[in-house]
């Protein structure tokens, strides 16, 4: 009896060694995506389980499970693959090393700088194209209130279609959130309309030069409205901005008070939009918030467009525009300036969410330089030497202000992290 028992143990040991070698040899040439063991009924596959690739079922030979504890030990240990290529349950390729699954990195994870650079390029490109097309429309259709409403209308239609297909999924809105977003939308509407009034009245480059004063209004509102103490270096950095804009305004060939005052009102409106936006901080994502703001702003812009420009549009505005460029081009231009307006704002939000405050500041300044430069080249605007120098001084002042403010915000963020830890 003892000899039979010993023989059985020897045979089991030999069979276990043989099976172990077979499993090792088979796993060395595993095809991507699965690991199969011939069987009448079962097929064992790689399945993701807590970052470890393991076979989920016992191996079955000739329709019968192997009951030996020792053999099961071997199977459990050997089927934890130590180095192979596999696929997850959805068919995405993953890397397996030392028994653990390592998901393959996406393109954005492997090349973050390249992706961020593309976002900046798209932001600048869309912004420049919008400003150029917008000004070209005003050259034959000078109705900024109506055009501003078209900008928002195209964006709202885009948002509604995106919600309909679930990209993104529409976030619900209640009475309280509507009350918080309405002041933001009012300021957004006023700032947008006044910017377009300025674009229609003067050169694009001059409007953007005046709008370089926006940081000055932001600092003033923070100091005198919100009660935040603004450091002296920030105030000093704003001096070149004020001086530069003043120099450019005195000798700007396209200067008129309508364009200048409209740009200043736009600065004030966007400043208060920033103040109200801080009060309306919610858990809703930025894409949904911007969609709701656009809808409210459109409702705000329609009445003045109808009351102020409606009679002129119906009498000769549309007729003259169609006579100059044709119905197809007229409608096409209105559609594309609205689309570029919405896309550049959306891409700008996505871009600025990817970068640090310092990069954000530099990006905003460079964007304004690009717009001013391209508008001068495309439209051939003649500017005096003093206007050019004043514009350069104003932009330099904005850059210095932005860099100082970004450094201050970064120090506050690090201090908060240190305090929290």
């Amino acid at each position: 009896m003892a000899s039979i028992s010993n023989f059985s143990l020897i045979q089991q040991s030999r069979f276990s060694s043989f099976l172990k070698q077979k499993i090792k040899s088979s796993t060395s040439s595993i095809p991507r995506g699965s690991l199969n063991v011939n069987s009448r009924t079962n097929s064992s596959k790689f399945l993701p389980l807590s970052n470890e690739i393991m076979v989920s079922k016992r191996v079955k030979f000739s329709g019968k499970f192997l009951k030996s504890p020792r053999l099961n030990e071997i199977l459990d240990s050997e089927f934890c693959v130590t180095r192979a290529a596999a696929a997850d349950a959805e068919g995405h390729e993953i890397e397996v090393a030392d028994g653990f699954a390592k998901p393959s990195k996406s393109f954005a994870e492997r090349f973050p700088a390249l992706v961020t650079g593309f976002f900046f390029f798209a932001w600048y490109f869309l912004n420049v194209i919008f400003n150029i097309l917008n000004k070209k429309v005003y050259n034959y259709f000078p109705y900024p209130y109506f055009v501003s409403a078209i900008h928002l209308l195209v964006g709202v239609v885009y948002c509604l279609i995106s919600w309909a297909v679930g990209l993104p999924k529409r976030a619900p809105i209640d009475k309280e959130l509507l009350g918080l977003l309405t002041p933001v939308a009012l300021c957004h509407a006023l700032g947008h309309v006044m910017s377009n009034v300025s674009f229609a009245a003067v050169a694009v480059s001059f409007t953007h030069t005046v709008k370089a004063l926006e940081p000055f209004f932001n600092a003033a509102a923070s100091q005198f409205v919100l009660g935040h103490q603004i450091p002296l270096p920030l105030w000093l950095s704003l001096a070149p901005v004020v001086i530069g804009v003043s120099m450019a305004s005195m000798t700007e060939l396209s200067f008129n008070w309508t364009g200048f005052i409209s740009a200043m009102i736009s600065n004030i409106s966007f400043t208060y939009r920033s103040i109200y936006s801080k009060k309306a901080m919610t858990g809703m994502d930025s894409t949904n918030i911007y969609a709701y703001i656009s809808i409210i702003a459109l409702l705000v812009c329609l009445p003045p467009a109808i009351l102020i420009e409606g009679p002129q549009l119906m009498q000769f505005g549309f007729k003259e525009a169609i006579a100059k460029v044709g119905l197809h081009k007229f409608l096409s231009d209105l559609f594309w300036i609205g689309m570029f307006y919405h896309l550049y704002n959306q891409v700008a939000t996505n871009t600025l969410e990817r970068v640090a405050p310092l990069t954000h500041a530099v990006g905003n300044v460079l964007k304004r330089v690009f717009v001013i430069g391209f508008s001068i080249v495309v439209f051939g605007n003649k500017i005096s030497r003093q206007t050019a120098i004043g514009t350069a001084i104003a932009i330099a002042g904005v850059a210095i202000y932005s860099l100082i403010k970004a450094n201050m915000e970064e120090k506050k963020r690090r201090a908060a992290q240190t305090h929290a830890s």
Side-chain angles (χ1 to χ4, degrees):
M1 192 72 172
S3 60
I4 295 175
S5 177
N6 290 338
F7 176 79
S8 176
L9 290 173
I10 292 171
Q11 289 295 88
Q12 180 177 327
S13 176
R14 288 178 178 176
F15 178 72
S16 299
S17 300
F18 171 78
L19 183 60
K20 187 173 181 179
Q21 291 176 358
K22 285 292 183 183
I23 292 171
K24 283 185 176 180
S25 62
S26 65
T27 56
S28 63
S29 58
I30 297 171
R32 289 180 176 267
S34 64
L35 175 63
N36 297 324
V37 178
N38 292 332
S39 171
R40 291 181 183 180
T41 57
N42 283 7
S43 177
S44 300
K45 298 189 299 181
F46 283 114
L47 293 175
L49 180 60
S50 302
N51 292 332
E52 192 172 3
I53 303 302
M54 299 184 69
V55 175
S56 60
K57 296 181 180 179
R58 298 293 187 192
V59 179
K60 189 177 181 182
F61 292 91
S62 302
K64 296 180 180 179
F65 287 106
L66 297 174
K67 302 291 186 177
S68 168
R70 175 60 183 154
L71 182 57
N72 287 333
E73 243 179 82
I74 295 171
L75 293 174
D76 284 342
S77 62
E78 291 304 321
F79 273 65
C80 292
V81 183
T82 56
R83 187 165 296 277
D88 63 14
E90 297 178 356
H92 299 110
E93 190 173 299
I94 57 176
E95 180 186 350
V96 182
D98 300 327
F100 293 95
K102 297 181 178 180
S104 58
K105 293 182 178 180
S106 64
F107 183 85
E109 292 173 331
R110 285 183 291 171
F111 306 101
L114 187 62
V115 174
T116 302
F118 172 77
F119 270 91
F120 269 101
F121 170 78
W123 176 25
Y124 290 2
F125 174 78
L126 293 171
N127 200 328
V128 168
I129 296 299
F130 163 73
N131 278 276
I132 291 173
L133 289 180
N134 202 41
K135 184 61 178 179
K136 285 185 175 181
V137 168
Y138 288 135
N139 287 337
Y140 69 83
F141 188 69
Y143 298 94
Y145 289 89
F146 177 80
V147 172
S148 298
I150 292 296
H151 292 164
L152 295 169
L153 176 62
V154 173
V156 167
V157 172
Y158 178 92
C159 292
L160 293 177
I161 294 174
S162 299
W163 278 342
V165 299
L167 295 172
K169 185 177 180 181
R170 187 183 71 84
I173 187 170
D174 53 24
K175 186 176 181 180
E176 181 181 358
L177 182 57
L178 182 63
L180 291 173
L181 292 181
T182 298
V184 181
L186 289 172
C187 294
H188 178 71
L190 180 59
H192 178 55
V193 170
M194 289 297 101
S195 293
N196 280 287
V197 171
S198 181
F199 285 139
V202 295
V204 174
S205 57
F206 180 63
T207 298
H208 278 278
T209 301
V210 177
K211 285 176 69 65
L213 281 172
E214 191 173 326
F216 174 82
F217 288 97
N218 285 333
S222 297
Q223 176 92 35
F224 303 111
V225 177
L226 298 179
H228 298 163
Q229 188 63 35
I230 302 299
L232 182 61
L234 272 182
W235 282 116
L236 293 177
S237 68
L238 289 170
V241 181
V242 177
I243 295 172
V245 171
S246 300
M247 288 178 60
S249 300
M250 285 189 289
T251 54
E252 170 61 37
L253 300 179
S254 67
F255 178 88
N256 64 56
W257 284 107
T258 300
F260 179 79
I261 293 175
S262 298
M264 295 293 281
I265 294 175
S266 174
N267 285 333
I268 298 172
S269 300
F270 286 141
T271 296
Y272 276 92
R273 182 186 65 177
S274 299
I275 294 174
Y276 287 119
S277 295
K278 293 179 181 179
K279 296 180 180 180
M281 289 294 182
T282 65
M284 189 185 295
D285 63 280
S286 59
T287 303
N288 273 292
I289 287 179
Y290 184 69
Y292 282 121
I293 289 174
S294 297
I295 293 172
I296 300 171
L298 174 61
L299 298 177
V300 173
C301 288
L302 284 175
I306 296 172
L307 294 174
I308 297 174
E309 296 177 341
Q312 295 178 343
L313 286 171
M314 298 305 296
Q315 186 176 356
F316 50 80
F318 291 126
K319 293 179 182 178
E320 289 183 353
I322 294 171
K324 290 179 181 177
V325 299
L327 178 61
H328 180 268
K329 179 171 174 53
F330 176 55
L331 295 178
S332 176
D333 285 349
L334 290 179
F335 169 77
W336 283 114
I337 58 174
M339 183 58 70
F340 277 113
Y341 171 77
H342 181 82
L343 290 178
Y344 102 73
N345 277 286
Q346 185 169 305
V347 173
T349 302
N350 296 334
T351 303
L352 300 180
E353 285 178 347
R354 297 179 57 88
V355 297
L358 186 61
T359 310
H360 172 181
V362 175
N364 262 324
V365 175
L366 289 178
K367 180 210 73 173
R368 201 171 296 281
V369 172
F370 267 80
V371 172
I372 292 174
F374 274 97
S375 66
I376 292 173
V377 171
V378 171
F379 296 108
N381 298 333
K382 294 181 179 180
I383 59 174
S384 66
R385 181 178 298 178
Q386 182 174 326
T387 297
I389 295 173
T391 301
I393 292 174
I395 297 299
V398 172
I400 295 171
Y401 169 85
S402 301
L403 294 175
I404 293 175
K405 187 176 181 181
N407 282 325
M408 291 172 58
E409 290 178 355
E410 183 66 18
K411 289 179 181 178
K412 288 181 181 179
R413 185 185 65 83
R414 290 179 180 177
Q417 288 180 345
T418 303
H419 181 71
S421 61

